[in-house]
Amino acid sequence: MVDGSLDLNAFQTKIFFDDQNKKMGSKLTSIGKTVIVPMRLYSLKADKLSDIKSGATIAVPNDATNEQRALNVLVQAKLIKYNTKVTDPTAKDITWNPKKLNIKEVDAGQAVSALKTTDAAVINGNFAHDAKLADKDILLTQNLKKNVDPYINLIAARKTEANKKVYKQIVKIYQTAETKAEIKKLFGNSQYAAWNLK
């Protein structure tokens, strides 16, 4: 996109965008929010969080933009705590793990497969949706009312063209009740309109 081959894109979370933009020389900027795709803790073996046994294995994505988010889901579940002062924390930064859980780091795209061989897995909403995972297997959904800004997907443009009238019109057209209803129709609870989230 930096090379001019695209005018806009809308596929990345803010945390991913900030990281990639920095690497590319900060030539892009966000011009609007789109959706949030929550992470969820799934299990085919446990019916509720309290069923997670000591020594259980839980899979989490292993990339920098997803692992901290997955660890936050496990913190929300009151299963672990980790050192929040660490940049890009991983399983080795867990400081409290009373059930002595085995945190298995896997490629985000393999988390659905890992669910079959582990006790639970934290899975990105898009992969869960594509795999048609059942709502009954959800143990916990990422809290969407607190500190979600890094995980909201953005519409990005080149900084030199960010104020184009047509781009502003596109954002305005996207951020409507009609679009919100269509997102719900197409994706159910796997993603949500996020332009009003903080």
Side-chain angles (χ1 to χ4, degrees), residues 19-167:
D19 178 65
Q20 293 298 306
N21 196 31
K22 184 177 180 181
K23 290 176 181 176
M24 293 186 293
S26 298
K27 296 179 179 179
L28 303 178
T29 189
S30 167
I31 63 169
K33 297 177 180 179
T34 60
V35 300
I36 188 166
V37 186
M39 278 189 160
R40 291 182 167 93
L41 178 63
Y42 285 86
S43 178
L44 301 179
K45 298 179 180 179
D47 293 324
K48 53 186 182 297
L49 282 173
S50 58
D51 292 337
I52 299 287
K53 295 181 169 50
S54 294
T57 297
I58 299 179
V60 299
N62 64 2
D63 59 283
T65 59
N66 280 312
E67 186 159 6
Q68 181 173 15
R69 189 179 182 189
L71 293 177
N72 286 338
V73 170
L74 298 182
V75 170
Q76 183 184 332
K78 296 181 171 55
L79 293 173
I80 65 157
K81 293 180 182 177
Y82 68 92
N83 184 354
T84 57
K85 295 180 181 179
V86 174
T87 302
D88 298 331
T90 65
K92 67 180 176 55
D93 298 304
I94 292 172
T95 58
W96 182 77
N97 185 359
K99 289 192 174 184
K100 295 181 171 53
L101 302 172
N102 173 33
I103 307 302
K104 182 178 181 179
E105 296 164 309
V106 300
D107 180 272
Q110 297 302 313
V112 171
S113 295
L115 181 62
K116 300 171 186 176
T117 57
T118 59
D119 296 287
V122 183
I123 301 174
N124 295 70
N126 57 315
F127 294 122
H129 179 262
D130 291 346
K132 295 180 172 56
L133 295 184
D135 286 354
K136 68 180 181 61
D137 295 324
I138 298 170
L139 298 183
L140 185 75
T141 296
Q142 174 191 3
N143 185 347
L144 298 182
K145 295 182 179 179
K146 184 178 179 182
N147 301 324
V148 295
D149 190 62
Y151 311 116
I152 293 175
N153 285 45
L154 306 173
I155 300 173
R158 286 181 291 281
K159 280 186 176 179
T160 55
E161 300 180 349
N163 290 318
K164 275 190 172 183
K165 183 178 179 180
V166 66
Y167 292 177

Side-chain angles (χ1 to χ4, degrees), residues 9-17 28 34 152-156:
N9 71 43
F11 71 88
Q12 68 274 291
T13 60
K14 182 180 186 299
I15 192 170
F16 179 85
F17 170 81
L28 303 178
T34 60
I152 293 175
N153 285 45
L154 306 173
I155 300 173

